[in-house]
């Protein structure tokens, strides 16, 4: 099946119940009604889509009610932080720790004062694009331009997933030619439509976007003011290989692979390319009963063995990514530490 943005939204909104037997221990371990707060204010974005799909399956397995509530990151942290009874849990993605690393107010460190729970799914769509008539044909061209003293403007939403790829570009520029990272400059915007508009208005040379949101513009002819071209997809090869072969719109999985490592490489170090998978995971109150967390972990292990859930995620262009809580926390902590190193290194003067 060929996916379009409209199809993805419709599939994610669908609340068809998955057939499963309720998990027997749920009644004694978890409240009958659970609120899942998410780090997004939107009911149309990928965070709400992922939460809805997983919450439906988890509620069916546990025999409880789970209500997804789009309150935004600050309010989500507050809500889960004041409820230790297990009636409130949080779902968010890497922005939960990236915003803290970038110093965004109202975004605490989820590894301090909270319990990081299991990973659930990946959205492999994080991307960077240029106008179709741009002279930049590759990320090498962007880095070379910066090295030659050319100013490259990149539209991002500061403080999270949108900014980490921009940070990676600056790090790679610095590695290639110390000081040239100053030529890669941020155009700070807001939503995806704001980033798109910055490109349409000629205010940005490169924008952060996504496969799902921007593929429609990549289909436009070059003489259209809104026509875009993918330059870089940050997802790992392993994540993309698990996606549907038909891809999204006219962008097939094979096409996507040409914009991601190892075909398109933005160095993170001398031996390692920068990659970023946008992973969704649960966050708990640190005083929540460990037995309740274990009940959720066990139920998730069961539902992720269900091909119907995995297919529903894939149909909405999410990659199933279940890791139990202990493994997930270690994985995400390492991921956070790796990105923190890059972010901090750019605060120091470049070695000449």
């Amino acid at each position: 099946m060929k996916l379009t943005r409209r199809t993805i939204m419709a599939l994610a909104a669908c609340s068809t119940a998955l057939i499963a037997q309720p998990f027997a221990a749920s009644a004694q371990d978890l409240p009958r009604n659970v609120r899942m707060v998410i780090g997004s204010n939107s009911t149309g974005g990928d965070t709400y889509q992922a939460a809805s799909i997983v919450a439906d399956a988890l509620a069916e397995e546990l025999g409880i009610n789970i209500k997804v509530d789009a309150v935004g990151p600050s309010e989500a942290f507050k809500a889960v932080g004041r409820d230790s009874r297990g009636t409130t849990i949080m779902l968010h993605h890497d922005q939960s720790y990236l915003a803290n690393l970038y110093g965004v107010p109202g975004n605490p460190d989820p590894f301090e004062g909270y319990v990081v729970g299991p990973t659930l799914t990946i959205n492999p769509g994080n991307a960077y694009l240029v106008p179709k008539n741009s002279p930049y044909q590759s990320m090498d061209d962007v880095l070379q331009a910066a090295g030659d003293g050319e100013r490259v403007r990149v539209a991002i939403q500061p403080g999270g997933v949108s900014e980490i790829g921009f940070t990676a570009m600056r790090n790679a520029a610095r590695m290639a030619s110390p000081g040239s990272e100053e030529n890669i400059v941020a155009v700070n915007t807001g939503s995806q439509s704001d980033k798109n508009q910055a490109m349409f208005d000629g205010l940005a040379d490169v924008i952060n976007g996504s496969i799902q949101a921007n593929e429609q513009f990549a289909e436009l002819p070059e003489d259209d003011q809104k026509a875009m071209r993918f330059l870089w997809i940050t997802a790992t090869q392993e994540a993309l290989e698990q996606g549907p072969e038909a891809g999204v719109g006219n962008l097939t999985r094979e096409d996507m692979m040409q914009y991601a490592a190892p075909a398109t490489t933005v160095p993170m170090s001398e031996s390692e390319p920068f990659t970023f998978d946008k992973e969704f995971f649960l966050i708990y109150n640190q005083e929540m009963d460990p037995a309740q967390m274990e009940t959720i972990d066990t139920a998730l292990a069961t539902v992720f063995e269900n091909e119907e859930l995995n297919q529903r995620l894939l149909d909405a262009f999410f990659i199933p990514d279940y890791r139990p809580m202990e493994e997930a926390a270690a994985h995400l902590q390492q991921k956070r530490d790796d990105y923190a190193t890059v972010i901090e290194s750019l605060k120091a003067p470049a070695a000449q």
Side-chain angles (χ1 to χ4, degrees):
M1 178 178 67
K2 181 168 286 188
L3 299 180
T4 64
R5 189 165 184 268
R6 180 175 294 178
T7 304
I8 291 170
M9 299 291 286
L11 286 166
C14 174
S15 59
T16 303
L18 298 176
I19 300 171
Q21 294 299 315
F23 185 60
S26 63
Q28 66 186 45
D29 289 340
L30 287 170
R32 176 67 183 172
N33 297 300
V34 173
R35 180 189 184 206
M36 180 183 285
V37 291
I38 64 171
S40 170
N41 299 106
S42 171
T43 58
D46 62 346
T47 305
Y48 190 86
Q49 294 170 33
S52 298
I53 293 171
V54 173
D56 281 354
L58 184 60
E60 184 74 13
E61 175 66 20
L62 290 169
I64 63 175
N65 301 311
I66 301 178
K67 178 182 181 293
V68 178
D69 199 354
V71 298
S74 296
E75 289 305 314
F77 273 115
K78 289 177 185 176
V80 77
R82 60 175 173 253
D83 186 353
S84 63
R85 301 165 298 166
T87 54
T88 304
I89 60 177
M90 179 177 172
L91 182 146
H92 202 21
H93 51 71
D94 303 84
Q95 183 160 339
S96 59
Y97 62 81
L98 287 173
N100 177 261
L101 290 176
Y102 283 118
V104 179
N107 287 268
D109 183 350
F111 296 97
E112 296 288 338
Y114 301 86
V115 175
V116 172
T119 57
L120 306 168
T121 189
I122 293 170
N123 178 350
N126 189 54
Y128 290 83
L129 303 95
V130 293
K132 260 195 180 168
N133 60 3
S134 169
Y136 305 136
Q137 298 297 316
S138 68
M139 284 304 300
D140 287 342
D141 288 347
V142 171
L143 299 177
Q144 183 62 53
D148 291 342
E150 185 176 323
R151 192 164 175 260
V152 181
R153 303 164 300 169
V154 184
I156 60 170
Q157 183 175 5
V161 168
S162 183
E163 188 167 359
I164 189 61
F166 168 75
T167 299
M169 289 184 206
R170 297 188 70 239
N171 177 65
R174 187 183 204 179
M175 289 174 59
S177 177
S180 69
E181 71 275 9
E182 300 302 327
N183 295 324
I184 298 180
V185 298
V187 177
N188 291 330
T189 63
S191 67
Q192 187 60 57
S193 61
D194 293 333
K195 287 178 278 188
N196 294 346
Q197 195 61 49
M199 178 181 285
F200 302 154
D201 293 342
L203 302 177
D205 306 298
V206 182
I207 66 167
N208 172 246
S210 72
I211 293 171
Q212 299 92 318
N214 293 91
E215 188 278 334
Q216 59 184 314
F217 299 108
E219 296 183 17
L220 298 174
E222 187 171 326
D223 59 358
D224 192 302
Q225 181 190 8
K226 295 184 177 182
M228 302 179 185
R229 175 163 41 82
F230 284 94
L231 207 62
W232 181 33
I233 293 172
T234 67
T236 60
Q237 182 179 14
E238 292 78 11
L240 289 173
E241 284 176 341
Q242 295 177 65
E245 185 177 359
V248 175
N250 287 332
L251 192 71
T252 67
R253 183 175 64 193
E254 184 177 356
D255 294 332
M256 295 174 194
M257 302 288 281
Q258 297 306 305
Y259 301 116
T264 295
T265 300
V266 175
M268 182 172 179
S269 67
E270 294 295 338
S271 59
E272 184 180 8
F274 176 90
T275 57
F276 173 76
D277 286 331
K278 184 178 180 180
E279 293 184 271
F280 295 84
F281 53 94
L282 296 181
I283 299 172
Y284 302 124
N285 182 290
Q286 64 178 344
E287 301 298 330
M288 183 174 164
D289 186 346
Q292 294 177 322
M293 301 181 201
E294 182 62 29
T295 294
I296 293 173
D297 241 20
T298 303
L300 284 170
T302 300
V303 298
F304 272 94
E305 291 177 355
N306 188 314
E307 285 305 314
E308 190 173 351
L309 169 62
N310 292 328
Q311 190 58 53
R312 190 175 172 200
L313 287 167
L314 289 169
D315 286 346
F317 202 61
F318 290 106
I319 309 302
D321 182 44
Y322 171 68
R323 287 185 178 90
M325 185 169 67
E326 186 175 345
E327 178 187 341
H331 163 71
L332 292 167
Q333 180 73 64
Q334 184 61 58
K335 191 176 178 183
R336 175 201 179 277
D337 292 348
D338 289 344
Y339 295 149
T341 299
V342 177
I343 293 169
E344 288 302 315
S345 71
L346 286 168
K347 295 178 181 179
Q352 300 294 326

